[in-house]
Amino acid sequence: MSEMHQEAPREPTTVLPRILVNGREELMLERADAVEIVERLRETHVDINGHTFLLKLDTLVVRLGIKWDVKRELVFEHLKTAFERIYSEPNWCIGINEDCFLGMIPEAGKRKGALFMTELWRELCSFFVGDMSALEVPLYDVLAEDVDCLSLKKIDINACYDVDESGNGPIKARAAGTHPDGTHAVDGKADGAQAANRPIIVAATVSYAGRNLKVASAIEPLFEMKKMVLIGHRLEAMVMEALDNTLLDRKGLANLDWGLREMVDIMNIDQGLKLLKLRTPEQRKMMMVVPAAFSTFASARARQKITAEVQKAAAEMGLKVLFEIRGLDGVPPHRVLEIVSLIKPYCMTAVGSVSPDRKIITGLAKCGLSGVCIEYDGAKRDEDGLRDYLGALAAAAKASAGACMVQGFDNYRQMAVARLAGVTHASMKTAALMSPRGAAHMAASAAEALKETSAPLANKLPHD
């Protein structure tokens, strides 16, 4: 994406819009790179072809009130990440002025583009302030007017729009209480549960020694399995090559240069803490799991930065901290014990993350850890096979460190099997919660099976 994305919107300037011919409204660009934006619009013709859209965020600004100043950056990050999750180059987006978001979608038809921007607006509002589907969508068609000026025209989302495309007809406004795929909330309660657990991803790029990576962060719900209760969240990173968006697996992460991995971990923690701060105290629950590589914790500079930031955020949000030391395959036990002793003063407890191999798990005994974290491998198994597989790993983890945490399940059925297999803690893969239908199912399941509790958390991970 263009470097222009990285510039934060400027502080507001009170300028009354000027009405142009044909009822179009003038919008002055309050950015140093306004000429570049206008030139890109003109060169690609995305404006005159009807593929450029603008969302005015003033309604959201009013709803947030005094919170807008602290949440403005998160709002624009949210929009940018949601846009780029669906549309990559040559499509592009940028936040402009204090309260506007510009999206250019040459790869989609005008109707499809308008519908996407509409859903982007609704999801944004739902996350930050709640349902605003009853209000008119502040969506505008955009033309480049001058070197620093755009002209806008309101789009009537309920009118027939670009009927020459396939799927002719008006763009229907989604009724409150329904999900984007048309499914309804369960007993009118799903929206609330979905808002509390909806996975939101933010992303940024890090560069080191000529290599560029995208670090996309989310907060995964973490469950205590014995009582099936939500106890907190895990700051999870998805790391991709900036060039082609190739997702790095465990082996790819382990092979990263230590300096680059340190930047990835720090970025993930920074982004994850911002996401947690958006939640209410009730939604955050009691604990946050903060992962970082062994090499990162072994760096005095990185360790000091992480522990200071996490300790401060934990105090502000009233949360307990569990540090997850990743990449412990092959690390000598005495080195693990050394790092655990250095971070223990700054957390409730620590767990070690290794490959799902019983021999490697056994090597974590007497390392000062309170549990072993294993990433679910995603292999297809029937329920009996899954139970046997997880049972063997859980037994090894309990023997070595007392608790077994499995990260990255695809659905609640797997979590139910894991509970029977002896897994003590588990988190759901972020991608499994991303689809509208998956979110609706998640909300229903949460309401029925995952009853939340306000009981205090023990000093350490619970043992059987």
Side-chain angles (χ1 to χ4, degrees), residues 374-436:
I374 303 161
E375 186 175 344
Y376 179 57
D377 63 4
K380 290 186 178 181
R381 302 179 178 89
D382 59 24
E383 290 188 7
D384 289 339
L386 180 60
R387 184 171 179 175
D388 291 344
Y389 170 75
L390 293 175
L393 296 178
K398 289 178 180 179
S400 295
C404 177
M405 179 186 297
V406 179
Q407 180 264 329
F409 281 123
D410 296 307
N411 53 60
Y412 284 101
R413 170 61 75 182
Q414 291 172 349
M415 290 180 66
V417 174
R419 178 175 177 269
L420 296 175
V423 173
T424 60
H425 299 78
S427 63
M428 187 78 76
K429 185 187 301 181
T430 302
L433 308 177
M434 290 307 296
S435 70

Side-chain angles (χ1 to χ4, degrees), residues 44-114:
T44 57
H45 305 295
V46 287
D47 59 332
I48 61 175
N49 290 331
H51 294 151
T52 305
F53 309 91
L54 181 135
L55 285 171
K56 284 191 174 183
L57 309 181
D58 47 3
T59 306
L60 183 66
V61 174
V62 172
R63 284 290 185 95
L64 286 172
I66 59 174
K67 296 179 181 179
W68 170 250
D69 285 340
V70 296
K71 292 192 174 183
R72 177 177 57 225
E73 182 181 350
L74 292 168
V75 167
F76 280 94
E77 282 182 359
H78 181 113
L79 285 167
K80 181 178 182 292
T81 302
F83 183 99
E84 293 181 353
R85 190 164 59 238
I86 304 300
Y87 291 109
S88 57
E89 292 277 23
N91 310 284
W92 57 292
C93 62
I94 190 167
I96 59 174
N97 298 1
E98 164 74 4
D99 59 356
C100 297
F101 181 79
L102 196 64
M104 289 125 294
I105 318 177
E107 292 187 336
K110 290 181 282 186
R111 181 179 186 274
K112 186 177 180 181

Side-chain angles (χ1 to χ4, degrees), residues 233 273 276 286-290 310 313-314 317 319-322:
H233 294 85
L273 292 177
L276 266 180
M286 296 170 283
M287 183 168 67
M288 61 176 168
V289 180
V290 181
V310 170
M317 294 185 282
L319 295 174
K320 295 180 183 294
V321 177
L322 187 156

Side-chain angles (χ1 to χ4, degrees), residues 77-378:
E77 282 182 359
H78 181 113
L79 285 167
K80 181 178 182 292
T81 302
F83 183 99
E84 293 181 353
R85 190 164 59 238
I86 304 300
Y87 291 109
S88 57
E89 292 277 23
N91 310 284
W92 57 292
C93 62
I94 190 167
I96 59 174
N97 298 1
E98 164 74 4
D99 59 356
C100 297
F101 181 79
L102 196 64
M104 289 125 294
I105 318 177
E107 292 187 336
K110 290 181 282 186
R111 181 179 186 274
K112 186 177 180 181
L115 182 57
F116 169 75
M117 295 295 288
T118 297
E119 290 299 326
L120 198 63
W121 163 256
R122 288 178 177 143
E123 198 281 332
L124 176 78
C125 293
S126 179
F127 179 73
F128 283 95
V129 298
D131 182 27
M132 288 174 58
S133 59
L135 300 181
E136 188 178 30
V137 179
L139 182 63
Y140 294 80
D141 171 62
V142 177
L143 288 174
E145 190 69 29
D146 204 341
V147 290
D148 60 351
C149 175
L150 304 177
S151 74
L152 315 176
K153 187 173 183 179
K154 189 77 174 63
I155 293 175
D156 182 3
I157 208 65
N158 291 309
C160 288
Y161 184 66
D162 201 36
V163 296
D164 59 315
E165 296 184 26
S166 58
N168 296 346
I171 300 172
K172 301 294 185 182
R174 188 173 78 247
T178 62
H179 301 290
D181 63 345
T183 57
H184 288 268
V186 179
D187 297 328
K189 298 178 182 179
D191 283 342
Q194 184 181 346
N197 295 286
R198 178 184 294 108
I200 300 300
I201 294 178
V202 294
T205 301
V206 297
S207 300
Y208 184 86
R211 189 174 183 184
N212 300 318
L213 297 176
K214 290 180 182 177
V215 182
S217 304
I219 49 176
E220 296 180 341
L222 176 69
F223 297 94
E224 189 279 316
M225 302 295 279
K226 196 168 187 178
K227 296 181 180 179
M228 286 297 282
V229 292
L230 177 66
I231 60 171
H233 294 85
R234 183 176 181 278
L235 314 186
E236 173 61 9
M238 290 166 284
V239 184
M240 296 161 281
E241 296 286 357
L243 185 63
D244 56 7
N245 291 329
T246 301
L247 186 65
L248 300 185
D249 57 13
R250 172 184 283 271
K251 184 177 180 180
L253 290 173
N255 290 334
L256 286 180
D257 180 277
W258 284 12
L260 184 55
R261 181 59 195 266
E262 178 181 316
M263 295 176 69
V264 166
D265 287 333
I266 290 174
M267 178 60 70
N268 177 54
I269 293 170
D270 180 63
Q271 293 181 150
L273 292 177
K274 287 179 181 178
L275 289 175
L276 266 180
K277 289 176 182 179
L278 287 174
R279 301 291 180 97
T280 66
E282 294 76 18
Q283 292 168 349
R284 295 181 199 129
K285 297 303 167 188
M286 296 170 283
M287 183 168 67
M288 61 176 168
V289 180
V290 181
F294 170 81
S295 58
T296 300
F297 280 123
S299 164
R301 179 188 64 253
R303 186 173 63 250
Q304 182 178 11
K305 180 177 177 59
I306 289 172
T307 53
E309 290 186 3
V310 170
Q311 196 171 36
K312 179 182 177 182
E316 291 175 357
M317 294 185 282
L319 295 174
K320 295 180 183 294
V321 177
L322 187 156
F323 280 126
E324 177 188 329
I325 309 173
R326 297 184 64 84
L328 290 181
D329 292 16
V331 178
H334 74 276
R335 290 287 287 133
V336 179
L337 181 60
E338 177 187 348
I339 296 304
V340 171
S341 65
L342 290 172
I343 64 176
K344 267 290 184 70
Y346 305 98
C347 65
M348 176 188 75
T349 191
V351 298
S353 178
V354 292
S355 299
D357 181 284
R358 281 180 288 177
K359 185 177 181 180
I360 296 176
I361 293 171
T362 302
L364 293 182
K366 299 180 181 179
C367 289
L369 300 167
S370 294
V372 177
C373 182
I374 303 161
E375 186 175 344
Y376 179 57
D377 63 4

